[in-house]
Each structure stands twice: as structure tokens, then as C-alpha cells.
Amino acid sequence: MRLTTLVFSLITPLVSLALPVSEYVLHARDAGQNVSSNTPVLSQQAEFSGDVTQCTGYNVDNTTPSSSGGLLIYLTLTNKCSAYGNDISYLTVSVEYETTSRLHVHIYDNDIHQYQVPQYVLPRPDGTTSEDKSDLKFEYNNDPFEFWITRKEDNAILFDTRSKNIPTYTESIQIEGAYSNYTVLPSHPLVFEDQYLQLSSALPDGANIYGLGEVIAGTGYRRNESATVQTFWTRDVGDPVDENMYGVHPMYMEVRWDEQRKKLMSHGVFLLNSNGMDAILRDGVIEYRAIGGTFDLYFFSGPSPNDVASQYAQAVGLAQVMPEWSFGFHLCRWGYTSVNDTRTTVTRMREAGIPLEVQWNDIDWMRAYREFQFDQNYAPDEYKAFVDELHSMNQHYIPIIDAAIGYLYNDSDVFDVYSRGHELDVWMKNPDGTEYVGAVWPGFTVFPDWFNPKMQQVWTEAFYNLSQVVDFDGIWLDMNEPSSFVDGSATNSTIPIENTTVVPPNYTPQAPPVDFPEGYWPNISGYSGNITVNGTLTYGQNGTAPKNTALRRSYTAEIEQAKRNGGSGPSTPDLPDYIPDIPYVDEPPYPIRNQAGRLSAKTVSPNATHYRGLQEYNVHNLWGTMEELAMHDTLLELKPGKRPFMVARSTFAGIGRKTAHWLGDNYSTFAYMKRAIQGVLQFNLFGIPMVGPDTCGFNGNTDEELCNRWMQLSAFFPFYRNHNTKLALSQEPYVWDSVRDASIKAINARYSLLPYWQTLFAKASEGGTPPVVPLFHEFQNPSYLSIDSQFLIGPSVLVTPVLQPNESTVYGVFPNGNGVFWVDWWTHSKVENSNSDNISISLPLGEIGVHVRSGSVLLVYDQPEYTVKETRDGGYGILVVLDGKGYAEGDAKVDDGDSYPVNELTCLSFVASDGKLCSTPQGNYHIDGQVNTITIIGVWNKPSKISFNGQDLDDGQIEYDDQVGRVKVNDVGGNLNQGWTLTWE
């Protein structure tokens, strides 16, 4: 439900307070800049120069050891420059060696008046070690103060703020076709002002940078190191390219090829700061510009990419273990206007034989789009009966809840959730103390103040009451940037609601989307979305078949040169002792590159206040995460002992310990199907591994070919949901026969792999290893650093989709170093790539490349069924792919798939060698299912005898295929709770 798909009658910009409306001019917008310039970002306040070249940084005044064995450095400002704020004269630099791989450097004001992210939102990691035991080394200069971080293993300088090593740029460069004056970097002093912080570090030429999100980068997963401005200001927007959007994750990983070691060396940098911020990349430099807060920096030594991801996750919070059912297929759309509509969809899925695990509802279930109130077509009795029906069939249900709460229009209006929050005084405020009133889907709305200690009570009560009708299994949190459709508060102490001049937008869709499916010619195909009409291919019949431009390799820019596992947080959020008072809260002197314009555009204004006067200016980027913390606690209270499951749009660093994420309001194009891969890789790096896109696209009209390909691709993402907008073409997988068949095939493979998925997510929750990674995480080859058209699920499964329309072959990289080879998941045939690791494979419509790495042993489910429970009840299989020496190994982590926290877990270890496969269990969870089948690939002579635990097996239990060297043993009856051995001769 986003503005991008709707027609509005009126949106009236307002100032946020009880102040007169003043014209807002952002002096330094990028739009329309057709030629390069040397103008830096201009200050929005006349008293500040905007000239950082007059800043000369800080000198070291004194140093002392810290109580934990680190170092405290005291700094004094050399001269006031007032570039974009009031200079802070005295700073402290805290240097702490927290673990062997993590170094914490925090630069903060001595008075501690700058805002810092509370422990409640992101609990700081524990740990102290000594400098001599650390992989990293901190060094600094005194006059001016500059520092650099070195990794001891290879003496590589990972972060370097010495200005002599950092290039400056006095001319702007293009981003997405327009010159951006944000890319003018005239000098690199340390600047620390109340509303502007600046810090730069040198980067190597051609730096391989990943992260700095949430973003859809035009260059793909690897960022454009020559021309990037990444803005951190959460925003409700339909999946733009190279702009700020829903989430804030100021973390990056850099990867370098070490020619001497012949390996990739990686490290990570995380800036913990919740204020609005820009991070600029140009050749040889990264520069941070924040409009508040402190420089709270964490450095991770790596050296492997998986090491960096793991070290980051351990610092910000390990991912929550997910319920097994959440890995099933999910279905939703905006436009199921009744319980009967929704029930019909569930029935049609079952009749088509397409497994459906979780049915969702969008905002259609709400009366007038007001949260917690039922639409007349979702009558409580019928609604409850429908959800109960799903549960009786081992299926699950998730409804949506938007961020804003409906406001009372008059004295006769009744809404108990609003009234309860009003009674306990938990809604966000205007600076004059009145309730801040924006507008979202219900019309006028208020916004929860998550910092108020009574907000949790109101939230839990509301969901408890909802649960008495709708026994939901999870919750979908949307619009929580937070989104508001008007700029500013509609009311204040002098303007009551009945006298407001604000007109909420008309959010009723006026007509079906006017766009035809991508590449379609309306005279041939109309709105059908079919591949052919009357035997004629519809895609590109006007002679201009578009290609997937997201697959291009060139840059889009013109290049000129608390408790992490299980526990919930405290019942009330902690607040700083000092609440900052922001001088220019609406128009800060430095205008971050918020592509919506002013900071209040389409969201709650930065001058809105929270509990004890805390301003939204400092915590805007935390709003969604605060809601997710509250929702997590609510789910634990309503469903104790069960794994909470929510999917949220706006995220901040570390919230993977509480929530899953979907990639937002994408588009029904091949480009956005491809871009989903970079989104999944990005959030796996950010420690939020349960992630996926709106399959087949949300905005616009999909078509048969695109939906066919996308349903198969998303079956190999962690979160798998098909969802689209109101009045667009229906895209449920039963709409087209070819999509139905492709979906069933892919979902069956997904369900077979569920024990593998569960194992990878268990490892993520225990140590932070990401479940989905690019090839370079596993294979030491610098040529793989830009590949994001393929990906790995764990170390053993390689996915190669077709991402171009009208094509049935694709080039894929199949690493072959050190004797590695790959076998096809579907046929078990070996990929012939000994002469090259980049080969073409045939993938007709309805096929996706899925290959298993040699030397792997996978625990799988033996027989995929309609639901996850039925699949699990059917028992297990084991897939073994022997390497060239007849060896393979693997492991699996098995629990009940539902309990929270996980107190019972059994780890299985599998080793195949010399004609023998051994299984060894360790743990306290009793595995109910038996091993039914064992498949071994790479046995090139038919065995004369196969025995299990010394007992010879009957020939009738054994199948052999000499074409692929495959032995399949049926009816094994193996007990996974005990060790066993299978031998073949």
C-alpha cells in the first residue's frame, strides 16, 4: 500500500508545528544539474558558511589508559569554523580492543550532549582484550589528530583519516544521470559540530565496497566506489535506484585481492549513529557527513567475507532463529476485499496443487483502513472461522498492521485503541505538547511514541484483543519509516482538527494501472500478461523488446576519476540523561541528500517529540526498529514459548535479532527481479537473513514469463512471498498453467531443502554466518567480486536464474578450482566445466539452475508435501555428492522448529569416505523422523554389496544409475538419534 500506485486529490505541505508556514528551499538539490560544478553543499542557515576548507580539526591535549585497558585521547578544537553548526571544542576518543577481531573507536563530546543510540535499541557487545592480542592496531597523529587502523596479519591499512592520503575533489560527478554537488569533497578535516559531523578515510583504487544500505544500487551488490552518495534517512518510497529508502545500515565491507597470498582479504566498518547522514564514495575516499550524534565506530578484521559478516552480527545482535513454517510459501495481495475472496484464493491454490503455507491479508481487512477494526467484509465470526480453517489444514495466517493509528474525527467517533493511547498519553507530540496528527490510510492519524514506558501496554492490549478474533501466527509491520501522507501536523494548540486546513489525500485508486506488462504491445496482448495471444509471442512485438538493464556491468554514473539469543529487552526503553535541544530541527544547516526533499516530507516531522521531549530529529531512523522491539515483546507475551515471526519494512542495524524483512514496493520488471538478488545479499551481510522480495513484483502489471521465472528464483530466497498491488493483474501462481507447474517444481525443491535452510539459520543465530552469500564468500577469485546474478545458499548450493526475457540459456560461473565440480539438483548430472568456470547452460521456461557442490552432504526432507508440517512428518533423506577423491562431509542442526528460545537441539555430523557414510549425533533434541532414503552421487561402479550398520540390504532397496554414478538406497529406516554407518563395496 504505497503512494506510488495511487492517485491523490490533494497533498498540502504544512509546517510541522504551531508556527506559520514558511517557504522551504533546499539550496543544494541534485535535480537538473546538467553540468559539473565546484559548488559544495550550501548551508541552509545563513549563520553557517558551509565551507569545511576553513576547518582545521583537533589537536591531542592529553591521553590516559581506560579502565578496561584501552586508551582515552582528549582533543581540543584548533579553530572554530562553523561550517554547518556550532563547533564543539572538546572531544574524547575512546579506543577499546573488545575482541581479537573487533576494535571500537568512539569520538564523542566531553559533555555527552550529542545523541547516542540507546542500549535498549542496540545493546552494546561485551568483551575486552588487550592490544597485543588484537588482530587490529590503532595509531594516531597529534597535530592535527588523525588516526588509522592496521590489520596485523598483512599490515594492510584498513581505515585511514590522514588527510595527506585522501584525495580531494573540487568538481562534481554524475549519479543517475545528474551531477551531484554532494560529490564535491574539497577537504578532509575532522569536523564535530552540534548539527554536522564529518570524517573521511582513504580507500584503495577500485575499492570493492559492499553494504551501506538499505539501497537498490544501480551498479548492483558491489557499490560504485567512484560516484555514490548514500543517504541514511528512512523513507516511504517505491524501491528507487540509488536513493535513500526504508532502512538504515551504515555498515560496509571492503574486499581486497592480496596478490602475495593469492586470497581475498576483507574487513568491515560500522558507524553506529541514528541521525540523518550521507556517506559519499569517490575514488580513493569514503566520507561520512552526519547531522548529529557521535562517531561511534566499530572495525572488524575479517579476513574472510564470512568472518566480517559474522563479526558484525556478533556486535549488533545475532539473527533470531525463525519458525520452520515461515520458510514455506506465502501469498498475499492488496485487493482481497473480503474473507470470501481470501478463502477462495486458498481453495484455488489447493485445487491447483501449489503448496501454500501462509495466507496473508493487506489493509483490506480493516474498516476504513483503521488498524484493529474489522471491515464489514471481514466480520469477526467469519474471519475467525477462516483462520481456524487454515490452522486445521496445517496452514498459517498473517495480517498487516500499519504504523499510524486512526485519529478521532469528532465526538461521536469511537476507536478504542486511540482512546486508550490518549488516556495513557502515549502518542507522539507537537513541541507545544499537543498530539501530533498526520495522515495515512485511515485519514488523520497519530503515531506511537515507542520511548514512552506505557506504549508497550497499549500495544500489547490492542494485539491481545485482535488475537481473540484472529489467531494470527505472525505480523506484518508496514509503513513504519514512519510514513505520513502530509507534511506536518494537522493540529496544534491553536488549530483543532475541525479547523485544520490540511486535507488528507484521496487514496482511492481511480482506475487500473495504465501500464501494460513490461515489453508488451497492447494491440496484441492487452492486459492478459500471457506469453502468447492467438499463437503470437507478445513480448516485444512492437519491435522494441527491452532487455534487463540491471544486468549491465558498467556503472550508472559517468566516471570522470541486550541479549541476543532469546531474551526480550527491558519492558521500558532507556533514555539518555541529557535530551539534546536541536537549534535548527526542521532545516538543519547541512541538508542531507534526502530524495523526498525536506526532512518532514512523507513522514513525521523532525520536530515532533517523544517522551521527555526527545525529538524525532535524532531518532527518526530508529522508529521502525522501536516498533519491532515492541512487537517482539508482544508476540512473546501472546504466544509464550513460540518463535515470534514478523516481517517489517523499516529496519536499523541489529534488528535482525527480532524481525524479518521484505524488500519493499518493487516493480514487475525483469530488472527488479534481478535487483532482488542484491537486496537479499545486502541484508544477509547486515545480519537480517530472513529476507526476500515481493515475488512477481508489487507495482505495475506482471506477465506469464516474468512471474514464471520469479516464482522459481524466490523459491531459493529465505523469505518467499508473492504480493502485488490493488487493481493490477492477478499474479497468484495458479493464474497461468506454466507458472503453476514452475512453482510446484521449485516449491518442492525448497521444501526438500528445509533442513538445510534450518541448519544455515541456526548457524546464523549462533555465530552470525550469513545463509545466502555471493560466490566470492566461498571462492578466492577476484573476478567473482561483481557477480550478483548468481548466489550461494550456504557453501553447498549454487543458484543460477534466467534474468533476461525471451531467453532460455544463461551464462553462469561454476567455480572449478581445487577440483571442485557441481551436480545438477534436478538430474544429478555433473556440470562439464573443467576448461572454464564460465559456461552456458540451457534453462527453458520453467527451469532454474540449482547445483550442489562436490564434497557436500545435505540432510533433506525425503518427500515434499503440501505443507511444511506434512513434509516434516514424512521423514528425511540424505544427499551425498562425493568429490574426486570419494570424500564428502556436511552437518545439520535439528530442533522442533517452533520453540523459543531453542533449548533442545541436536547436531548431526556426516562424513563419507572410502565407501562409507557415517552419521554422528550430538545434542538433546529427540528427532522423530527417520532416514528413508540415502542418495550418493559419484559412485561410478555399481556396488556389489551395500550394508547399513553391518546388515546387508536387499537388492530391491537399491537403485543404481550409471549415467550419473548415483546409488539410491530406499527404506533405510535410519535413526538420526543414534550413530550409524552405511557402506558400499
Side-chain angles (χ1 to χ4, degrees), residues 143-163:
D143 186 11
F145 169 73
E146 299 168 321
F147 70 93
W148 60 101
I149 310 294
T150 305
R151 182 170 49 214
K152 297 176 183 177
E153 177 181 350
D154 55 354
N155 290 318
I157 298 175
L158 309 182
F159 198 84
D160 187 358
T161 71
R162 291 172 290 185
S163 57

Side-chain angles (χ1 to χ4, degrees), residues 170-462:
T170 57
E171 296 292 327
S172 63
I173 197 170
Q174 279 187 342
I175 296 176
E176 283 293 297
Y179 285 91
S180 170
N181 58 324
Y182 286 79
T183 63
V184 176
L185 308 177
S187 63
H188 300 292
L190 169 62
V191 181
F192 205 113
E193 298 171 340
D194 59 351
Q195 288 191 260
Y196 183 73
L197 281 67
Q198 177 180 301
L199 183 70
S200 304
S201 172
L203 292 174
D205 292 338
N208 300 293
I209 301 290
Y210 307 88
L212 297 176
E214 180 177 9
V215 68
I216 298 171
T219 52
Y221 181 49
R222 181 182 179 273
R223 302 306 301 271
N224 182 348
E225 83 282 5
S226 299
T228 287
V229 179
Q230 179 61 52
T231 299
F232 299 98
W233 186 259
T234 59
R235 170 181 172 222
D236 171 14
V237 60
D239 283 16
V241 176
D242 285 325
E243 297 180 8
N244 57 307
M245 44 193 300
Y246 316 111
V248 165
H249 300 272
M251 176 270 183
Y252 72 85
M253 176 175 67
E254 187 201 330
V255 184
R256 304 176 187 177
W257 174 251
D258 188 318
E259 184 63 32
Q260 180 179 356
R261 292 171 173 78
K262 300 297 181 184
K263 63 186 293 188
L264 296 171
M265 302 290 285
S266 307
H267 67 275
V269 180
F270 169 49
L271 172 53
L272 175 53
N273 185 312
S274 64
N275 283 87
M277 179 166 48
D278 290 328
I280 297 96
L281 294 174
R282 291 199 67 172
D283 291 326
V285 57
I286 180 171
E287 180 170 281
Y288 297 98
R289 300 170 179 171
I291 58 173
T294 66
F295 283 123
D296 198 356
L297 291 156
Y298 291 83
F299 301 94
F300 309 100
S301 65
S304 78
N306 274 348
D307 288 337
V308 173
S310 177
Q311 291 156 10
Y312 173 70
Q314 291 175 45
V316 299
L318 296 168
Q320 179 196 297
V321 63
M322 292 290 162
E324 188 174 27
W325 61 261
S326 69
F327 289 91
F329 174 63
H330 303 241
L331 182 60
C332 183
R333 82 163 296 172
W334 184 18
Y336 295 145
T337 58
S338 67
V339 168
N340 190 55
D341 274 358
T342 314
R343 180 185 282 112
T344 298
T345 298
V346 173
T347 301
R348 292 191 65 183
M349 287 289 289
R350 189 172 287 272
E351 290 173 347
I354 307 168
L356 173 62
E357 183 70 20
V358 191
Q359 180 62 50
W360 297 44
N361 274 115
D362 212 312
I363 58 175
D364 309 278
W365 73 268
M366 305 171 191
R367 185 175 66 187
Y369 298 147
R370 186 176 273 184
E371 283 78 2
F372 305 106
Q373 291 191 332
F374 301 106
D375 181 80
Q376 62 181 358
N377 293 318
Y378 284 81
D381 289 347
E382 186 182 9
Y383 200 173
K384 183 179 189 307
F386 165 65
V387 176
D388 290 345
E389 288 169 19
L390 288 175
H391 290 159
S392 72
M393 296 184 290
N394 300 315
Q395 293 172 293
H396 297 80
Y397 180 75
I398 294 177
I400 193 172
I401 291 290
D402 282 343
I405 301 299
Y407 186 69
L408 299 184
Y409 277 79
N410 51 53
D411 292 340
S412 63
D413 192 7
V414 177
F415 183 23
D416 58 342
V417 176
Y418 167 78
S419 298
R420 181 62 168 151
H422 180 76
E423 172 192 353
L424 295 180
D425 197 25
V426 300
W427 308 129
M428 289 179 66
K429 301 291 179 50
N430 288 311
D432 62 10
T434 58
E435 289 176 345
Y436 183 101
V437 178
V440 197
W441 299 115
F444 289 123
T445 58
V446 293
F447 297 85
D449 174 9
W450 305 111
F451 288 94
N452 191 306
K454 296 180 181 179
M455 186 62 233
Q456 184 71 58
Q457 177 183 350
V458 174
W459 202 240
T460 300
E461 284 178 4

